[in-house]
Amino acid sequence: MEKKIEIIEHIDPSVIYKDLSHPASGGICVFIGAVRDTTQNQKVNSLFFEAYEAMALKEMEKIAAAASKQWNLHRLIMQHAVGDKKVEEPVVLVGASSAHRDDCFEACRFLIDTLKEKVPIWKKEFFDGTDEVWVTPHP
Amino acid sequence: MEKKIEIIEHIDPSVIYKDLSHPASGGICVFIGAVRDTTQNQKVNSLFFEAYEAMALKEMEKIAAAASKQWNLHRLIMQHAVGDKKVEEPVVLVGASSAHRDDCFEACRFLIDTLKEKVPIWKKEFFDGTDEVWVTPHP
Amino acid sequence: MKILLFGIAKDIVGNQSLDEAFQAKNVAELKQELIQKYPEFTKLSSLAVAVDEEYANDDTPISAQNEIAIIPPVSGG
Amino acid sequence: MKILLFGIAKDIVGNQSLDEAFQAKNVAELKQELIQKYPEFTKLSSLAVAVDEEYANDDTPISAQNEIAIIPPVSGG
């Protein structure tokens, strides 16, 4: 399986097909996470993402290895952005290609769920006015 | 909900982000189906797709309406290609954006599953040598 | 009565449409007549009929005013 | 012992890293010392420690030779 794993400034969703297509793949599934304008009824202006980059890449490699063991995948991509991101900008992109669609759908869901749970990346929310808050997931 | 529903000659996956992103959407899920080089151990050279276009568009509209009723979606896309398609060319693209990822993942899976079951489009497979076969799904 | 044909139905009949006189007053009767004239249709795993661009039931009435299409098993995607 | 800090841990300590003398010989002891010096860490829903870029258990030994990082609840994606 070929893979592309990156922590980068800007995610470019226009190249996903080139990054994931494969002659043996009948299906490609992609998830893109973006900055949305509201969270818990508060207006969001922007987000700031910080990564413990070396460890984040290692954790992403582990997640990719687990996915390629569980599903029959041809190509896989995991990208996370860092720095300031405005509303509608992409912040995370994961995807996979496989012969049949079950594999790429299930792998794609696993990639984003596990990334959010394990990869050392932190998000600060900037709200209308002056508030800024590090996001800590609610139990 | 905004939607884009098309039967077209060529699908361009490079514009999906523009087609699906929305300020209120934190998640975008996309599935792309492509021509793969093998089916049931036979080498495939190309596929030919034929649509009963007027009815196909009506059925796709119904599927989109059902998805937007079941999930909280901001934008939705369903495209199917017609004509000759070579290995690795995209033949179908479906996707949706939503505030949270559960909705867009579930909607995306529903869109492709229901499209394959209901939309009057037919695929002919061209194999190595001279064989050509209309695909009829196995029970 | 003009009947549109798609996919393998086109190959079975050897044409893109059928322009013959059918006696059928509903979808079930149309399928019977079609199978009588082209027994190969029985080999398909399913055979649906669309009337005016909508899937029709066996008891949906048909006439020369409707757009009628034979829908063999679909295989898009 | 140098300790890397990220996210809200940076704000709690007021710095990108801690360069103080810790007595801790393992991860559990380090967490205890940290909470003693910065009680605000108890407010976090979880507190993990990475040793050499891997999540560590409470009994993972640590020394000045390791790269140690405090991992507050992650919130990527």
Side-chain angles (χ1 to χ4, degrees):
Chain A
M1 188 194 66
E2 282 176 72
K3 60 187 192 294
K4 183 174 181 177
I5 291 178
E6 292 178 331
I7 304 281
I8 48 176
E9 277 297 311
H10 294 289
I11 287 174
D12 179 2
S14 76
V15 295
I16 50 153
Y17 197 73
K18 191 175 65 56
D19 280 342
L20 287 172
S21 94
H22 185 281
S25 288
I28 293 176
C29 186
V30 177
F31 175 81
I32 305 168
V35 182
R36 64 194 176 98
D37 59 10
T38 318
T39 187
Q40 287 151 5
N41 294 322
Q42 274 196 284
K43 190 106 190 109
V44 171
N45 278 329
S46 66
L47 299 180
F48 172 79
F49 287 92
E50 173 178 82
Y52 179 12
E53 186 166 330
M55 181 177 169
L57 290 168
K58 276 193 188 178
E59 289 294 318
M60 285 157 88
E61 290 284 351
K62 284 181 203 168
I63 296 166
S68 77
K69 206 174 158 186
Q70 190 163 357
W71 295 283
N72 197 348
L73 307 176
H74 299 125
R75 299 183 75 178
L76 180 154
I77 187 166
M78 298 182 85
Q79 295 178 309
H80 204 294
V82 286
D84 287 304
K85 300 296 152 201
K86 300 286 174 206
V87 171
E88 263 189 276
E89 270 192 82
V91 298
V92 62
L93 188 155
V94 299
S97 56
S98 54
H100 302 287
R101 68 190 184 283
D102 276 349
D103 290 71
C104 63
F105 263 106
E106 289 170 21
C108 190
R109 184 69 207 238
F110 169 83
L111 292 176
I112 185 63
D113 287 357
T114 318
L115 181 151
K116 280 173 168 272
E117 189 192 325
K118 296 270 183 69
V119 178
I121 295 177
W122 298 270
K123 167 165 52 194
K124 187 181 256 185
E125 290 171 335
F126 291 84
F127 295 105
D128 248 8
T130 54
D131 272 8
E132 49 174 270
V133 183
W134 283 106
V135 178
T136 56
H138 305 277
Chain B
M1 187 194 67
E2 280 175 76
K3 60 187 192 297
K4 183 174 181 177
I5 292 177
E6 292 178 331
I7 303 282
I8 49 177
E9 276 299 307
H10 294 290
I11 288 174
D12 178 3
S14 77
V15 295
I16 50 153
Y17 197 73
K18 190 175 64 60
D19 280 342
L20 287 172
S21 94
H22 185 282
S25 287
I28 292 175
C29 186
V30 177
F31 175 81
I32 306 167
V35 181
R36 64 196 177 95
D37 59 10
T38 319
T39 189
Q40 288 153 4
N41 294 320
Q42 273 197 283
K43 190 107 189 110
V44 172
N45 279 330
S46 66
L47 299 181
F48 172 78
F49 287 92
E50 173 179 82
Y52 180 12
E53 186 168 328
M55 181 178 169
L57 290 169
K58 277 192 187 178
E59 290 295 318
M60 287 157 87
E61 290 283 352
K62 284 181 202 167
I63 296 166
S68 77
K69 207 174 159 184
Q70 191 164 356
W71 295 283
N72 197 349
L73 308 175
H74 300 126
R75 298 182 76 178
L76 179 155
I77 189 165
M78 299 183 84
Q79 294 178 309
H80 203 295
V82 286
D84 286 305
K85 301 293 151 202
K86 300 285 173 209
V87 170
E88 262 189 277
E89 271 192 82
V91 298
V92 62
L93 188 156
V94 299
S97 56
S98 55
H100 303 287
R101 69 190 184 284
D102 276 349
D103 290 72
C104 64
F105 263 105
E106 288 171 22
C108 190
R109 184 70 208 236
F110 169 81
L111 292 176
I112 185 63
D113 287 357
T114 318
L115 180 150
K116 280 173 168 273
E117 188 191 324
K118 296 272 184 69
V119 177
I121 295 176
W122 298 269
K123 166 166 51 193
K124 187 181 257 186
E125 290 171 337
F126 291 84
F127 296 105
D128 250 7
T130 54
D131 273 7
E132 49 174 88
V133 184
W134 283 107
V135 178
T136 55
H138 304 277
Chain C
M1 190 179 289
K2 184 173 174 172
I3 297 171
L4 303 174
L5 301 167
F6 295 96
I8 198 165
K10 228 166 41 178
D11 289 4
I12 289 174
V13 172
N15 210 330
Q16 291 197 338
S17 65
L18 266 170
D19 239 326
E20 300 167 33
F22 281 89
Q23 309 304 315
K25 294 277 174 287
N26 64 32
V27 166
E29 292 173 19
L30 176 64
K31 285 186 189 173
Q32 274 185 330
E33 279 191 70
L34 205 65
I35 287 168
Q36 247 168 0
K37 292 182 182 175
Y38 305 96
E40 272 199 80
F41 276 115
T42 55
K43 292 185 187 163
L44 301 182
S45 62
S46 74
L47 186 63
V49 170
V51 176
D52 296 339
E53 300 167 356
E54 305 277 351
Y55 284 108
N57 298 320
D58 272 0
D59 57 4
T60 303
I62 55 171
S63 79
Q65 276 68 57
N66 299 119
E67 179 174 315
I68 296 167
I70 304 302
I71 311 287
V74 302
S75 53
Chain D
M1 188 178 293
K2 184 175 175 172
I3 297 170
L4 303 174
L5 301 167
F6 295 96
I8 199 165
K10 227 165 45 177
D11 289 4
I12 289 174
V13 172
N15 211 331
Q16 293 198 338
S17 63
L18 267 171
D19 238 327
E20 300 167 34
F22 281 88
Q23 309 303 316
K25 295 277 173 288
N26 64 30
V27 166
E29 292 172 18
L30 176 65
K31 284 186 189 174
Q32 274 185 330
E33 278 191 70
L34 204 65
I35 287 169
Q36 249 168 0
K37 291 183 183 175
Y38 305 95
E40 272 198 81
F41 275 115
T42 54
K43 292 185 186 163
L44 301 183
S45 61
S46 74
L47 186 63
V49 170
V51 176
D52 296 338
E53 300 168 356
E54 304 277 352
Y55 284 107
N57 297 321
D58 272 359
D59 56 5
T60 304
I62 55 171
S63 79
Q65 276 69 55
N66 299 118
E67 178 174 317
I68 295 167
I70 304 303
I71 311 284
V74 301
S75 53

